[in-house]
Amino acid sequence: MLVPWKKKKPREAAAAAPTTGAEREAVFGMGYLPLKTGETKLYEALRESIPLIDAAISKIIRLVGSFRVETGRGETDRELERFLKTVPVGPLHQGVAFFLWGYLDTLLTYGNAVGEILPTRDMRGIGALFLPPIENVQLKRGENPMETVICVGRGGSFQPVPYPELVVCSALNPPDSCSKGVSLLKGLPFVSQILLTIFQCMGNNFERAGNLRYAVTYRPGGEGGRSRERAQMIAREWAQAMSPGKVRDFVAVGDVEIKAIGADGPILDTQVPVRLILEQIVAKLGIPPFMLGLSWSSTERMSKQQSDILTSELEAYRTLLEPVIRRICGLWLRQRGESGEHEICWDTINLQDEVDEAQAMLYREQAAYYRARAAAVKQ
């Protein structure tokens, strides 16, 4: 598959090898939805400047968990599992898990994600999976509201991909009748700017207060014309007393006053405003505070409820990834001449879910037993 984000020389395993492509700074015509805008660059800066946001997205990606694909045919299942673990993803990784991690990372950060399936030269298998740079992709409205045309560009021109069936695309919470998704970080730039302002002020204050500066004031008395001389001597002795690596006493005769600069101005307490802002960020990201190292007061029941909410969020992200997995596995099966029907089985998110489900099942069985027993007594 030759599309504008590829090099001219293909790799051995695939029909074409991808490259990063060139940046494009231009105004697109009506109907195009650019996926790389100033807003998305701001989201990149947010992840770089606030480690909490980057850590939350990374944890979401890891917590989505792994899966297995079943077709009901033993030998096919084993070969499909081997393919999902060994398929090349980019120049360094193997396995569809790396592809989905990068795909979900792009989806959460920018609101849209695009991936490509690279077939082998003989078109009888999948040679590699590739995540193109989001700035090289544009979405164009199709002839009807249910159609979206994926366009890629190089050198300032964007053209529809020649084989759209080999391209997967997803949008996160898109508005009605729109293919452009909404980033998970939308709404955070305002509160993040306040947080960075507080951190910058804290750094400046501690730089000033941590490295103490002194004001030495000498008020001459009856020294006559020797005031200048004495002031210079006091300054010289003070500099020697404050030289690093030595602890010396400073002795002065006369009216000499020494004060620490800034000692009268207390540093503002930032604990409350910083926590208020972090609460807004954590609420938007949907990650429980204790998973991000925030030791806020939390009861066991509250932690369980937060974990249940996180589980529902992860289930929603799995729903977004399932069409991508189905496209990859379905194409692999059809290239082998087999039926494309398969089932995606996700692993349980955590052990606590299994315990709760087992306990709920026990309660249901006990309730059914007592209902049947009561009905038998009535008869």
Side-chain angles (χ1 to χ4, degrees), residues 38-112:
E39 185 181 6
T40 55
K41 293 180 181 179
L42 178 60
Y43 297 150
E44 293 177 359
L46 282 180
R47 292 190 60 174
E48 183 177 353
S49 57
I50 302 181
L52 184 76
I53 296 177
D54 186 68
I57 293 180
S58 299
K59 288 185 182 296
I60 289 174
I61 295 171
R62 298 297 185 269
L63 289 173
V64 166
S66 56
F67 64 93
R68 66 184 186 278
V69 181
E70 297 179 354
T71 62
R73 301 181 293 275
E75 183 63 26
T76 302
D77 288 346
R78 286 190 290 271
E79 293 185 8
L80 179 57
E81 182 180 2
R82 189 182 307 112
F83 159 75
L84 294 177
K85 290 182 178 180
T86 59
V87 58
V89 179
L92 300 177
H93 300 293
Q94 286 186 342
V96 73
F98 288 98
F99 175 79
L100 293 178
W101 289 347
Y103 191 89
L104 184 57
D105 184 278
T106 304
L107 183 64
L108 296 178
T109 304
Y110 305 115
N112 284 87

Side-chain angles (χ1 to χ4, degrees), residues 59-68 100-101 103-104 107-108 170-172 310-326 344-351 353-354 357:
K59 288 185 182 296
I60 289 174
I61 295 171
R62 298 297 185 269
L63 289 173
V64 166
S66 56
F67 64 93
R68 66 184 186 278
L100 293 178
W101 289 347
Y103 191 89
L104 184 57
L107 183 64
L108 296 178
S170 301
L172 180 65
L310 176 61
T311 302
S312 63
E313 293 287 337
L314 297 177
E315 292 289 349
Y317 295 138
R318 287 180 171 184
T319 304
L320 290 173
L321 293 178
E322 280 194 6
V324 180
I325 302 173
R326 293 187 184 280
I344 301 174
C345 302
W346 291 92
D347 295 339
T348 305
I349 293 177
N350 56 44
L351 184 60
D353 290 341
E354 293 183 351
E357 290 176 3

Side-chain angles (χ1 to χ4, degrees), residues 12-294:
E12 292 294 333
T19 60
T20 57
E23 293 283 347
R24 180 171 189 254
E25 298 289 343
V27 178
F28 300 98
M30 297 299 294
Y32 281 93
L33 300 175
L35 300 184
K36 184 76 170 182
T37 61
E39 185 181 6
T40 55
K41 293 180 181 179
L42 178 60
Y43 297 150
E44 293 177 359
L46 282 180
R47 292 190 60 174
E48 183 177 353
S49 57
I50 302 181
L52 184 76
I53 296 177
D54 186 68
I57 293 180
S58 299
K59 288 185 182 296
I60 289 174
I61 295 171
R62 298 297 185 269
L63 289 173
V64 166
S66 56
F67 64 93
R68 66 184 186 278
V69 181
E70 297 179 354
T71 62
R73 301 181 293 275
E75 183 63 26
T76 302
D77 288 346
R78 286 190 290 271
E79 293 185 8
L80 179 57
E81 182 180 2
R82 189 182 307 112
F83 159 75
L84 294 177
K85 290 182 178 180
T86 59
V87 58
V89 179
L92 300 177
H93 300 293
Q94 286 186 342
V96 73
F98 288 98
F99 175 79
L100 293 178
W101 289 347
Y103 191 89
L104 184 57
D105 184 278
T106 304
L107 183 64
L108 296 178
T109 304
Y110 305 115
N112 284 87
V114 178
E116 186 189 4
I117 304 171
L118 300 177
T120 55
R121 291 185 178 277
D122 56 8
M123 302 299 290
R124 295 182 179 179
I126 296 177
L129 300 175
F130 173 58
L131 288 170
I134 202 70
E135 61 266 22
N136 292 351
V137 182
Q138 302 295 329
L139 300 181
K140 183 180 180 181
R141 298 183 183 92
E143 297 180 356
N144 59 75
M146 302 297 295
E147 182 183 2
T148 298
V149 180
I150 303 174
C151 302
V152 293
R154 172 190 289 174
S157 62
F158 278 70
Q159 309 245 347
V161 293
Y163 304 102
E165 63 275 6
L166 297 178
V167 179
V168 292
C169 182
S170 301
L172 180 65
N173 301 325
D176 295 339
S177 303
C178 184
S179 301
K180 180 96 182 289
V182 179
S183 171
L184 182 65
L185 307 183
K186 185 177 182 180
L188 294 184
F190 175 71
V191 294
S192 300
Q193 182 181 5
I194 299 175
L195 182 64
L196 292 176
T197 302
I198 294 175
F199 286 163
Q200 183 68 30
C201 294
M202 288 173 57
N204 293 335
N205 289 334
F206 276 95
E207 183 179 359
R208 294 166 182 165
N211 186 10
L212 294 179
R213 294 170 175 82
Y214 297 91
V216 181
T217 305
Y218 165 61
R219 299 181 182 86
E223 292 84 354
R226 301 182 58 186
S227 301
R228 182 183 182 85
E229 235 177 82
R230 177 152 310 181
Q232 292 176 350
M233 182 177 62
I234 291 174
R236 196 164 48 247
E237 292 297 326
W238 176 259
Q240 291 181 3
M242 298 301 294
S243 59
K246 296 180 181 180
V247 179
R248 299 180 56 181
D249 296 329
F250 175 73
V251 180
V253 179
D255 190 0
V256 179
E257 181 183 9
I258 301 175
K259 287 184 178 181
I261 298 177
D264 298 335
I267 299 177
L268 295 176
D269 184 13
T270 59
Q271 184 175 0
V272 174
V274 167
R275 174 166 176 172
L276 290 175
I277 296 173
L278 290 181
E279 287 176 349
Q280 299 292 321
I281 295 177
V282 170
K284 186 67 172 66
L285 297 176
I287 291 288
F290 63 86
M291 298 189 66
L292 298 174
L294 301 175

Side-chain angles (χ1 to χ4, degrees), residues 353-372:
D353 290 341
E354 293 183 351
V355 174
D356 292 340
E357 290 176 3
Q359 189 174 13
M361 186 180 298
L362 174 63
Y363 290 157
R364 287 194 295 268
E365 293 296 332
Q366 289 177 346
Y369 169 76
Y370 286 118
R371 283 195 298 267

